[in-house]
Amino acid sequence: MNPFRFTRQGLTKNEARLERFFEVLPGLTSWSVLIGLMILILVQPIIAALIIIVFDFYWLLRLFYLTLFLTIAYLRLSLEEDTDWLSRIHQIDALKKNEAVAVNGPRGWKERISNLFFKKEIKSLSASSSLPVLSNEIYHLVIVPAFKETREILEPGVASYANGSFPSKQMLIVFAVEERAGEDVKRAAEDIRLKYKDAFFDFLVVIHPDGIKDEARVKGANATYAAKTARKLLEERRIPVENVIVSCFDADTVVSQNYFSCLTYSYMVCPDRERASFQPIPVYHNNIWEVPGFARILEMGASFFQLTEATHPDRLVTFSSHSMSFKALVDVNYWPVDMVSDDSAIFWKALIHYEGDYRAIPMYVTVSMDVVDAGGWWQTCVNVYKQKRRWAWGVENFPIVMRGFLQSNKISIFERVRHSFKLFEGHVAWATWPFILGIMGWLPGIFAGQDFSDSVLFYTAPRISSVIFNLASLSLITTIILSLCLLPKTKIKHSFWRRVIHALEWLVIPLVAIFFSAMPALDAQTRLMFGKYMEFWVTDKRR
Amino acid sequence: MFVALFIIGAPKIVFYALGYSYKIGSEKGIVQTGLIYLSSTPPGATVYIGGRRYREPTPAIIRDLLPGNYPIRLVLKDHETWSKSVPIEAAKASVLGKILLNPKKPEWRKRVLDRFEDLIVVPDTRYLLLRKSDQLDAVQIYDWKQGKASSLFVGGAEKESQFSSVSVASGSPHVLFKVESKKKKRWIWIDLDKGEKSKITWGDEIPFQSDKLVWSEKDSRYLFTYYQGSVSRFDVEKKTLVPMGEPVQGFGVNEKKLLLLTNDNQFKKTDFFDKNSKVMIKNANLLKALASENDPFEVKRVASDIVFYLSGAGTLLMHQGKTLISEKDILGFHFDKKHRKAVLWRADAIGIIQFLKDEEGDVLRPSAKVEWILKGARQLRHVYWAHDGAYLIFQDQNKIFLLELETFGSPSVHELLETKSDSQIFYSDDSGELFYLDKKTGNLMSLEVIPKWKVLEVPFSILQEKEKEGKVAA
């Protein structure tokens, strides 16, 4: 195990220097790319135009690549829509009991393909000689950090846990409420506890005291305190941590009926289940028809990104609501208590702790959350911006991960470079690509001097860009179709024209990408670059 | 697979963008080509290059052309065929972006049916003055934007008055008539926007004398007169004449400032009361050149960094930063602010001078020279920029011509019409119309030189969509 401390606190002089260097690097790179390209456009427009053409082509290929995998992931998601996970869990139990595993005979093409995946996974599990405990010995610890969420936000999630296909009596629910939260929040948590406690193994409301040493006012500190409290209860009840799967959910998370069955199955079938996180597909459907179009598009984009990532288990990093082995969580000393982006930080923390022997397993099941909705249009814009900046603040992981990788001897250089590059490139691309594609790509033509405007390139560059963007629209059309398939059916039947407008909302992507994706990302990186650290900021959500 | 696609595709795209093409036949191999961009007014002309007819009409981009000279023809129904030989260089675009296709039957219109002797242009306004005779009540004003004509003096008060001269200023709707009879002299100051009711007159009781006269479009209350080496300010409303003090060689107005070339070798800018003055130039070369002239110079600041000085004897000095260009026998000039170029003309020649921005050039750079593009004219009277600086319309004696500038050889000249002898013409690039007096009837006529309603402003990106890649019609 790597003793690396996943924090920016209490560093030695050299560590602090290294940390600062890696804190500056992403922001400096993003600004250098943007400013450098701008200077190049003004000074050497021909070279700038060629670079932009090559970049556009690279982006197109990446887009096709993402679209391909998005389609595959969507197909897999729809394939597993009707899977009877509980039945599969029982079949793994049968394997444990040395009973014959009976895969149900295929009824439709979807089930037929799904069964192929199941057979492959069972085969792999059998070969691993790492059979799990029986499913009736597996418990779920669900931690729901809350600060200012009302009962309307909190209760639907709890109801979804209770009403799922997995036995709720094997579930311990913990509302992790901040001490500084309002009395109404605490009362709501207690009311919900009283209403649902009998449905679960147990239901705790844990008040997280303010001002614990070394903690920042972040969600991870709250969740960690709740996890430690739950651990004591589990020990009292003699339930080993190895048999517990912990899920840390945003307060607005509503799980699908099969979530815990699918999670239990994924946990049981994974040979390295104690060194893994389990990532569902986050969707933002709770209030998706009530929010402005741009917010809907943005959250659909986030869902799609995660859906695409799900097709690359070797690249997957935990995001938002997710689950993991409780043992792993205890081993790595819980979530970071001084970082905003605890959801992805826990993955990196575990990866470094286990010297690279840690993974995120995709689950083809959804958890639904709220789209930011602050009531008014402008206020929603501000809140969406702040939420995306908080997401982009995940860049705070980069310097710590880099230090961890530099201190690690056991993770292969290839893996370290692969992970570092993905993390670094992902953040720089997030902050720069929309600017290059939406604005800077058109500037060489606008600022063209005589030399450039008399060149063949001046006339061919817009044509090439136009062909590239036309081809990119194929991706957009695919995305629109998938979005329409994935969106929940509206309670009110929308007219044909309303549906057309919903589809056309995707055309605002260039603006949304610049103002609610690249700008917050650049903002976050710039803050990190100048050492202006962020604290957790709870977004407004309403139903 | 995607990496392989990128490694193979990116260089191919870059080569394509730079004009590289794989040719078969005698030129077999990879060669760098050029292209031609053709855009016509009206659009939709069929493109012929050599013997090949291209399927798509103008605006068109013809790519993949090997370096060399190509005979180009544009053919459009009811229009005269346009043809040129265009050189193509590797990696370069030969741009003919403002080709004007002349209709076989010009669309002229009768505007005012009276017989006029001359038209007087009030520059940079919507007015033309139409003169039937020297009598004031025979003067009509014509609003060319609205197409309306009306008598300037209708009350009968000026029925017998004859004017000997009329002064106008660029951009100002005010006109100053000098009325002379055997007994006395009179001046009539009138605002064309307001008509006869705005008339202000003064006579011999005021010592109002001028060899040159200017006023500002921004403040028409003051007239500035030059007489015997000194400038005076005349307050039109109070009818007071105040000498401005120091002797000058030249003067002009620019917005609400008076520009003075003083005899003590200074070019200064001052307010209309000469209270806040600022020395702009103390340039020995400039002043040396000016000192040789006896006539007063009219000073015109045509751009923030360019000043023109035109003497009555025809010496034109153009001054930009450290650059000073002098030409003799100049009759007039027009400055194109958008393209920073000026056309100037002598009786027999038309020249063009292109000004670069300050930071782009150095002292006396090659571009800041007058290029005499047309020589051998008989008696040039007026020249106008047309079609966004791509053409010139000029009047040589009584004939009006269209001169195409955007060519790769000598500018081509096309005769438009013949006008009434000794009458002025007016052309507006906003409307694309030429106003003139008919040769036979003296009626005010207009000719649509640039068919504005047909000009297709194609956004560049859309334009690219219409690019033609050597698609040859079957």
Side-chain angles (χ1 to χ4, degrees):
Chain A
M1 302 303 142
N2 191 331
F4 177 74
R5 290 175 59 247
F6 200 89
T7 176
R8 68 168 85 95
Q9 313 295 328
L11 305 180
T12 63
K13 221 174 199 176
N14 280 344
E15 284 174 335
R17 211 172 289 145
L18 204 57
E19 173 81 10
R20 274 307 289 148
F21 171 75
F22 286 121
E23 280 180 356
V24 168
L25 199 57
L28 185 67
T29 308
S30 294
W31 280 110
S32 300
V33 166
L34 294 175
I35 294 170
L37 190 57
M38 193 67 223
I39 291 170
L40 206 60
I41 285 166
L42 295 172
V43 178
Q44 288 287 347
I46 292 177
I47 293 171
L50 288 173
I51 288 173
I52 288 166
I53 286 171
V54 172
F55 170 76
D56 284 352
F57 180 58
Y58 171 71
W59 169 77
L60 179 72
L61 292 179
R62 281 281 294 261
L63 195 66
F64 279 164
Y65 182 77
L66 285 172
T67 310
L68 177 67
F69 284 97
L70 175 68
T71 311
I72 292 169
Y74 174 76
L75 291 175
R76 184 71 199 275
L77 189 64
S78 57
L79 204 66
E80 305 291 10
E81 206 171 28
D82 302 320
T83 300
D84 183 356
W85 297 104
L86 213 53
S87 155
R88 289 191 178 178
I89 288 169
H90 294 146
Q91 288 174 69
I92 298 175
D93 283 343
L95 195 69
K96 175 86 176 174
K97 294 173 189 167
N98 284 323
E99 293 169 4
V101 175
V103 177
N104 291 337
R107 287 195 293 262
W109 67 272
K110 278 186 178 182
E111 197 176 348
R112 200 173 294 199
I113 299 170
S114 175
N115 278 345
L116 286 176
F117 286 114
F118 175 52
K119 279 179 186 169
K120 193 182 161 197
E121 284 166 344
I122 285 287
K123 197 175 171 187
S124 168
L125 179 65
S126 305
S128 74
S129 68
S130 168
L131 292 177
V133 295
L134 294 172
S135 61
N136 58 10
E137 293 172 41
I138 291 176
Y139 285 81
H140 286 278
L141 166 61
V142 182
I143 298 173
V144 183
F147 174 47
K148 63 176 187 181
E149 287 79 6
T150 58
R151 182 168 182 158
E152 288 72 35
I153 299 291
L154 292 169
E155 189 166 354
V158 177
S160 72
Y161 316 150
N163 298 328
S165 57
F166 191 80
S168 58
K169 279 290 180 186
Q170 287 171 242
M171 295 167 79
L172 166 59
I173 312 298
V174 180
F175 269 168
V177 183
E178 293 284 6
E179 187 184 33
R180 60 182 180 278
E183 280 308 311
D184 52 337
V185 176
K186 290 173 186 167
R187 199 179 311 117
E190 188 56 30
D191 288 348
I192 296 169
R193 188 187 78 81
L194 290 172
K195 183 176 173 183
Y196 288 93
K197 70 181 170 63
D198 294 336
F200 297 107
F201 171 69
D202 210 336
F203 197 137
L204 305 179
V205 174
V206 176
I207 304 296
H208 173 229
D210 276 344
I212 295 178
K213 190 172 175 288
D214 295 333
E215 282 189 358
R217 288 153 74 103
V218 294
K219 195 181 82 181
N222 187 10
T224 294
Y225 187 81
K228 286 177 178 174
T229 309
R231 188 185 172 192
K232 283 178 198 163
L233 179 88
L234 292 167
E235 279 173 355
E236 284 168 15
R237 307 276 178 96
R238 299 183 182 285
I239 297 170
V241 290
E242 289 81 358
N243 293 3
V244 180
I245 307 168
V246 58
S247 300
C248 186
F249 287 159
D250 287 351
D252 54 342
T253 302
V254 175
V255 299
S256 58
Q257 204 192 12
N258 284 326
Y259 179 78
F260 286 104
S261 301
C262 177
L263 171 60
T264 311
Y265 167 79
S266 302
Y267 181 79
M268 292 173 80
V269 87
C270 175
D272 303 305
R273 61 190 73 82
E274 285 169 18
R275 302 257 173 121
S277 289
F278 300 89
Q279 178 65 54
I281 308 296
V283 293
Y284 298 83
H285 289 171
N286 293 353
N287 59 342
I288 197 140
W289 295 115
E290 284 87 54
V291 294
F294 76 91
R296 185 161 38 244
I297 297 307
L298 201 60
E299 303 301 2
M300 291 293 295
S303 295
F304 283 175
F305 178 76
Q306 208 57 32
L307 199 56
T308 308
E309 290 287 289
T311 56
H312 297 91
D314 56 330
R315 293 185 189 181
L316 188 61
V317 174
T318 49
F319 168 77
S320 191
S321 296
H322 64 275
S323 307
M324 66 187 291
S325 152
F326 193 38
K327 181 174 185 307
L329 185 68
V330 172
D331 281 355
V332 302
N333 197 22
Y334 304 95
W335 290 280
V337 295
D338 57 352
M339 293 176 73
V340 172
S341 54
D342 56 276
D343 50 357
S344 50
I346 189 63
F347 172 82
W348 296 115
K349 195 176 181 185
L351 185 80
I352 292 167
H353 179 83
Y354 291 121
E355 298 284 15
D357 184 16
Y358 196 80
R359 60 207 53 77
I361 308 284
M363 292 194 298
Y364 292 98
V365 64
T366 59
V367 288
S368 181
M369 286 168 277
D370 283 16
V371 180
V372 173
D373 180 10
W377 190 87
W378 174 246
Q379 199 52 41
T380 299
C381 282
V382 172
N383 279 19
V384 166
Y385 180 90
K386 285 182 176 177
Q387 188 198 42
K388 299 311 159 203
R389 189 176 62 187
R390 193 186 76 206
W391 288 8
W393 185 250
V395 71
E396 70 175 335
N397 285 306
F398 178 71
I400 305 176
V401 169
M402 289 307 291
R403 280 195 300 108
F405 281 170
L406 287 176
Q407 286 182 25
S408 170
N409 296 320
K410 292 184 182 168
I411 307 174
S412 72
I413 289 177
F414 174 77
E415 281 301 301
R416 280 185 275 172
V417 169
R418 188 173 68 83
H419 281 300
S420 312
F421 180 75
K422 188 184 179 245
L423 190 57
F424 181 74
E425 190 257 4
H427 281 287
V428 172
W430 189 349
T432 55
W433 284 17
F435 284 114
I436 298 171
L437 290 164
I439 299 172
M440 302 180 91
W442 306 104
L443 297 184
I446 294 168
F447 291 116
Q450 194 67 36
D451 283 350
F452 183 37
S453 59
D454 283 349
S455 71
V456 167
L457 181 62
F458 180 78
Y459 289 86
T460 50
R463 174 176 166 74
I464 292 167
S465 295
S466 147
V467 169
I468 286 175
F469 283 109
N470 284 342
L471 288 172
S473 64
L474 294 175
S475 263
L476 184 66
I477 291 166
T478 310
T479 309
I480 291 170
I481 293 168
L482 292 182
S483 79
L484 292 173
C485 295
L486 202 62
L487 279 172
K489 300 288 173 281
T490 51
K491 291 167 192 165
I492 305 161
K493 197 174 179 188
H494 286 165
S495 67
F496 170 76
W497 290 112
R498 185 78 188 271
R499 282 159 181 264
V500 170
I501 287 168
H502 284 317
L504 291 178
E505 280 168 1
W506 284 93
L507 298 179
V508 301
I509 270 191
L511 289 177
V512 168
I514 289 170
F515 290 106
F516 297 109
S517 183
M519 269 172 67
L522 198 58
D523 185 349
Q525 288 174 26
T526 308
R527 280 165 187 265
L528 186 67
M529 188 165 75
F530 290 109
K532 308 274 184 201
Y533 304 111
M534 286 174 66
E535 288 209 330
F536 199 86
W537 175 83
V538 182
T539 45
D540 287 329
K541 288 162 183 175
R542 62 186 69 211
R543 283 179 213 156
Chain B
M1 188 182 81
F2 282 93
V3 174
L5 268 175
F6 181 75
I7 290 169
I8 296 165
K12 282 191 84 169
I13 291 173
V14 167
F15 279 116
Y16 170 84
L18 291 171
Y20 286 96
S21 178
Y22 183 78
K23 293 281 178 186
I24 51 171
S26 58
E27 302 284 345
K28 191 175 179 181
I30 295 171
V31 287
Q32 194 166 19
T33 61
L35 63 77
I36 301 178
Y37 170 58
L38 298 163
S39 178
S40 67
T41 302
T46 307
V47 179
Y48 291 87
I49 298 185
R52 293 170 122 188
R53 176 178 181 269
Y54 284 74
R55 189 181 299 159
E56 299 295 331
T58 56
I61 295 172
I62 316 292
R63 274 182 48 86
D64 288 341
L65 297 171
L66 290 168
N69 277 302
Y70 290 82
I72 313 279
R73 267 190 313 137
L74 298 186
V75 179
L76 183 66
K77 192 183 174 190
D78 298 331
H79 289 74
E80 290 174 12
T81 297
W82 178 95
S83 60
K84 280 277 178 303
S85 177
V86 179
I88 295 292
E89 288 178 52
K92 294 281 182 191
S94 298
V95 180
L96 292 161
K98 292 182 187 118
I99 300 166
L100 192 58
L101 299 175
N102 293 302
K104 285 177 180 167
K105 290 180 182 172
E107 291 183 30
W108 50 262
R109 288 172 65 186
K110 289 184 177 179
R111 294 291 186 165
V112 185
L113 295 179
D114 291 347
R115 183 180 187 85
F116 298 105
E117 290 300 313
D118 196 6
L119 67 82
I120 300 157
V121 179
V122 186
D124 300 321
T125 70
R126 56 197 168 103
Y127 299 115
L128 301 174
L129 294 178
L130 301 170
R131 186 176 68 82
K132 285 184 194 168
S133 67
D134 290 340
Q135 299 219 159
L136 272 180
D137 61 350
V139 174
Q140 288 196 28
I141 50 174
Y142 181 73
D143 182 334
W144 57 266
K145 281 194 176 171
Q146 293 187 356
K148 287 180 183 171
S150 59
S151 291
L152 184 56
F153 298 96
V154 291
E158 304 294 348
K159 196 173 180 183
E160 300 300 322
S161 304
Q162 288 197 329
F163 65 95
S164 58
S165 71
V166 58
S167 301
V168 293
S170 175
S172 169
H174 287 85
V175 178
L176 184 69
F177 290 97
K178 185 178 180 183
V179 179
E180 282 186 289
S181 63
K182 288 174 186 173
K183 296 175 187 172
K184 58 178 183 177
K185 278 189 285 189
R186 231 168 17 109
W187 282 268
I188 299 175
W189 174 249
I190 191 163
D191 183 346
L192 300 179
D193 285 341
K194 295 173 183 168
E196 194 176 7
K197 64 182 178 185
S198 67
K199 182 176 77 173
I200 296 174
T201 61
W202 63 88
D204 281 340
E205 71 277 8
I206 296 162
F208 186 86
Q209 290 179 309
S210 73
D211 294 333
K212 247 185 196 327
L213 178 68
V214 295
W215 65 88
S216 167
E217 60 177 293
K218 301 279 182 189
D219 188 350
S220 54
R221 187 174 163 183
Y222 302 106
L223 307 183
F224 295 91
T225 66
Y226 176 91
Y227 187 64
Q228 292 184 346
S230 292
V231 173
S232 299
R233 184 185 71 243
F234 180 69
D235 186 323
V236 176
E237 288 173 14
K238 293 180 181 171
K239 297 177 186 173
T240 54
L241 191 69
V242 180
M244 297 289 282
E246 59 192 316
V248 298
Q249 293 179 65
F251 76 120
V253 287
N254 180 235
E255 297 194 334
K256 289 192 173 183
K257 297 287 180 188
L258 190 62
L259 307 170
L260 296 172
L261 272 165
T262 64
N263 281 2
D264 58 350
N265 294 345
Q266 287 185 351
F267 172 51
K268 71 174 191 179
K269 184 168 78 172
T270 180
D271 63 20
F272 286 175
F273 299 93
D274 202 15
K275 283 181 180 167
N276 294 309
S277 63
K278 184 181 173 187
V279 175
M280 304 293 289
I281 306 168
K282 203 163 185 175
N283 186 315
N285 285 334
L286 169 68
L287 297 165
K288 191 178 168 187
L290 293 171
S292 64
E293 288 291 326
N294 294 321
D295 287 332
F297 277 82
E298 185 181 345
V299 183
K300 275 202 171 178
R301 192 173 192 173
V302 294
S304 60
D305 59 333
I306 305 169
V307 184
F308 278 27
Y309 310 83
L310 181 62
S311 78
T315 298
L316 177 67
L317 289 149
M318 291 162 282
H319 178 232
Q320 181 198 19
K322 293 176 183 173
T323 307
L324 184 69
I325 304 116
S326 173
E327 292 291 342
K328 296 278 186 189
D329 304 322
I330 301 300
L331 296 176
F333 64 87
H334 273 308
F335 187 76
D336 177 349
K337 281 185 183 173
K338 183 178 170 189
H339 301 101
R340 288 175 65 85
K341 60 183 181 180
V343 58
L344 38 126
W345 61 95
R346 303 190 303 233
D348 63 339
I350 296 173
I352 286 178
I353 180 165
Q354 175 76 59
F355 293 88
L356 300 176
K357 291 215 167 126
D358 277 349
E359 62 272 18
E360 288 177 9
D362 205 346
V363 181
L364 295 172
R365 53 197 167 262
S367 59
K369 281 183 181 172
V370 177
E371 185 189 355
W372 292 99
I373 54 165
L374 182 115
K375 289 180 179 174
R378 291 172 184 172
Q379 181 57 55
L380 285 168
R381 291 167 61 89
H382 221 98
V383 184
Y384 287 95
W385 286 112
H387 206 17
D388 200 25
Y391 284 77
L392 291 172
I393 289 174
F394 66 89
Q395 184 181 17
D396 186 12
Q397 289 186 325
N398 299 326
K399 288 184 176 174
I400 316 296
F401 298 89
L402 187 65
L403 188 145
E404 185 179 15
L405 299 173
E406 202 181 54
T407 62
F408 290 90
S410 302
S412 56
V413 178
H414 171 81
E415 185 179 333
L416 290 174
L417 51 88
E418 197 166 345
T419 183
K420 182 175 170 59
S421 62
D422 298 329
S423 67
Q424 282 194 61
I425 59 164
F426 170 70
Y427 170 74
S428 162
D429 211 26
D430 290 338
S431 67
E433 286 179 299
L434 173 75
F435 293 89
Y436 63 97
L437 297 183
D438 184 70
K439 180 186 169 188
K440 289 178 183 169
T441 64
N443 295 163
L444 178 69
M445 310 288 284
S446 72
L447 175 73
E448 189 183 53
V449 181
I450 315 293
K452 287 288 174 181
W453 64 273
K454 292 173 191 166
V455 174
L456 189 64
E457 291 293 339
V458 185
F460 194 63
S461 58
I462 298 171
L463 195 69
Q464 302 311 306
E465 287 302 297
K466 296 178 75 63
E467 182 186 338
K468 323 305 167 321
E469 294 182 47
K471 292 173 189 168
V472 182

